[in-house]
Amino acid sequence: MKYSLHKIIDDVSQYEIKIVNEASGSLDEALKMISYLQEVLIALKASVVKEGFDSEWEEINFFRNVKPGVLGKLIYYNKVYRIECACPLGSEKIYRNYFSNQIKELKQEFEENIFNSEFYRYYRSGRNDRDQTFFRLGNINLYDGLNSFVFEIDHHFSTYYDYKVARIIANDLLQNYLHLKIDSIEDSNFKDEEATKDIFWTSSKNALVELIYAMYASGAVSHGKVGIRKLSMIAQIVFSVSLGDLHHAFHRMKTRAGSRTAFLDHLKISLEEYMDKDL
């Protein structure tokens, strides 16, 4: 059976966009995504157990890319739900301290469990020479001193290291989420409700993401010293729009068919047509 990374991840991303637009808040969004992602994993497991893999490459691709892409999101949304549930009510200072502490705890946990490992360096470097060891069923080497949970995993649906990759993905997403939370506090005084109440984004969210990345890549704002998260937060505040996961939106932009800069192309054409009217 063929497992398409782009198809599965795209389906998850499309559903995520739908939920972001429909959810009443972060908790509602997280709960709905947790439920959905659990169903996706259950379906994938049933398919793997029943049909197996057509080739060694397919098995490696599944456990290196496909399953971690789904599981990483599930870990991420479960953590977001727990963070939001425990978030204290209080002053801006209390709010900022809470999310700053969450970043510290996330960093400490990641460094203790993953960051300093040989596998982390292997995965981050983009190597694939040991993929047959890390991402094929039945190759778990207990002599490596693995975490105890290895004895609890389903050996028909995990190589152990697919979970490690999922943790790396979840950590990246959580870092972005927590920094955006802090940025939103720092930028809370930026928005003047009266001045911006009639200003809102009327093109697609993907178009705004494209514009944000273009400004960042060109160094057009503060000589490039303002990061993606900051630019994104400012754009979301000014245009009263929620952009969701910028990283995955940008990934889809890089791999989409046709022009990868469709909105920027449209802006150029529109401006030239506007200039021609004045001739």
Side-chain angles (χ1 to χ4, degrees):
M1 181 176 181
K2 299 300 181 184
Y3 300 93
S4 170
L5 168 65
H6 295 299
K7 173 72 166 60
I8 293 172
I9 298 302
D10 188 59
D11 287 347
V12 170
S13 297
Q14 290 299 320
Y15 186 83
E16 188 174 31
I17 292 172
K18 177 176 179 290
I19 293 302
V20 167
N21 291 329
E22 296 177 354
S24 58
S26 297
L27 282 174
D28 184 38
E29 177 185 340
L31 273 177
K32 288 179 178 177
M33 286 303 299
I34 289 170
S35 177
Y36 168 73
L37 291 166
Q38 282 181 317
E39 291 178 1
V40 173
L41 274 179
I42 290 172
L44 286 175
K45 179 179 179 180
S47 180
V48 167
V49 172
K50 180 181 179 181
E51 302 181 31
F53 301 98
D54 292 339
S55 66
E56 176 183 300
W57 176 88
E58 185 179 88
E59 181 178 356
I60 290 173
N61 181 59
F62 180 82
F63 287 114
R64 177 169 180 137
N65 299 311
V66 181
K67 183 187 172 187
V70 178
L71 181 58
K73 281 275 190 179
L74 179 57
I75 295 172
Y76 162 69
Y77 275 108
N78 183 56
K79 184 65 175 178
V80 167
Y81 180 77
R82 292 167 58 190
I83 290 173
E84 291 288 347
C85 281
C87 184
L89 297 176
S91 66
E92 182 178 294
K93 182 178 180 180
I94 292 175
Y95 198 60
R96 183 188 297 108
N97 287 341
Y98 174 73
F99 285 104
S100 295
N101 287 333
Q102 290 295 323
I103 291 177
K104 292 178 182 177
E105 291 176 10
L106 179 67
K107 182 179 180 181
Q108 181 179 348
E109 178 185 1
F110 193 71
E111 287 181 348
E112 290 176 354
N113 294 292
I114 295 179
F115 180 74
N116 293 317
S117 68
E118 178 188 354
F119 175 76
Y120 179 79
R121 292 188 290 273
Y122 171 86
Y123 178 76
R124 281 299 200 201
S125 68
R127 288 169 53 191
N128 57 20
D129 53 286
R130 296 187 63 190
D131 279 3
Q132 288 183 320
T133 299
F134 291 134
F135 301 113
R136 296 203 68 193
L137 293 170
N139 288 342
I140 297 177
N141 184 0
L142 300 180
Y143 294 104
D144 288 341
L146 307 177
N147 292 338
S148 297
F149 83 87
V150 70
F151 301 107
E152 302 175 12
I153 66 174
D154 185 340
H155 292 261
H156 298 289
F157 190 59
S158 179
T159 70
Y160 174 74
Y161 290 97
D162 58 272
Y163 175 76
K164 293 284 189 180
V165 176
R167 286 284 302 276
I168 293 171
I169 293 172
N171 183 80
D172 290 346
L173 293 172
L174 283 165
Q175 286 278 1
N176 185 60
Y177 155 76
L178 291 170
H179 282 293
L180 281 174
K181 281 289 187 178
I182 294 176
D183 286 346
S184 69
I185 299 168
E186 296 174 351
D187 292 334
S188 60
N189 296 325
F190 179 82
K191 184 174 182 180
D192 184 331
E193 292 290 344
E194 187 63 29
T196 63
K197 66 179 182 179
D198 296 326
I199 299 176
F200 51 94
W201 188 255
T202 53
S203 190
S204 70
K205 291 184 179 181
N206 284 339
L208 184 54
V209 171
E210 187 178 322
L211 181 61
I212 291 169
Y213 270 92
M215 290 190 293
Y216 173 73
S218 65
V221 180
S222 300
H223 303 291
K225 295 180 180 179
V226 178
I228 288 292
R229 288 193 300 268
K230 192 78 168 181
L231 284 175
S232 167
M233 184 55 61
I234 293 173
Q236 290 178 78
I237 291 172
V238 171
F239 295 119
S240 301
V241 61
S242 174
L243 293 176
D245 189 340
L246 257 71
H247 174 74
H248 284 280
F250 182 63
H251 175 73
R252 292 194 302 273
M253 186 191 308
K254 292 195 298 181
T255 57
R256 67 189 177 192
S259 174
R260 298 191 297 176
T261 57
F263 183 63
L264 296 180
D265 296 342
H266 172 69
L267 287 180
K268 180 178 181 295
I269 293 172
S270 298
L271 178 57
E272 289 176 343
E273 291 178 347
Y274 183 78
M275 289 175 171
D276 291 339
K277 290 180 181 179
D278 294 333
L279 294 179

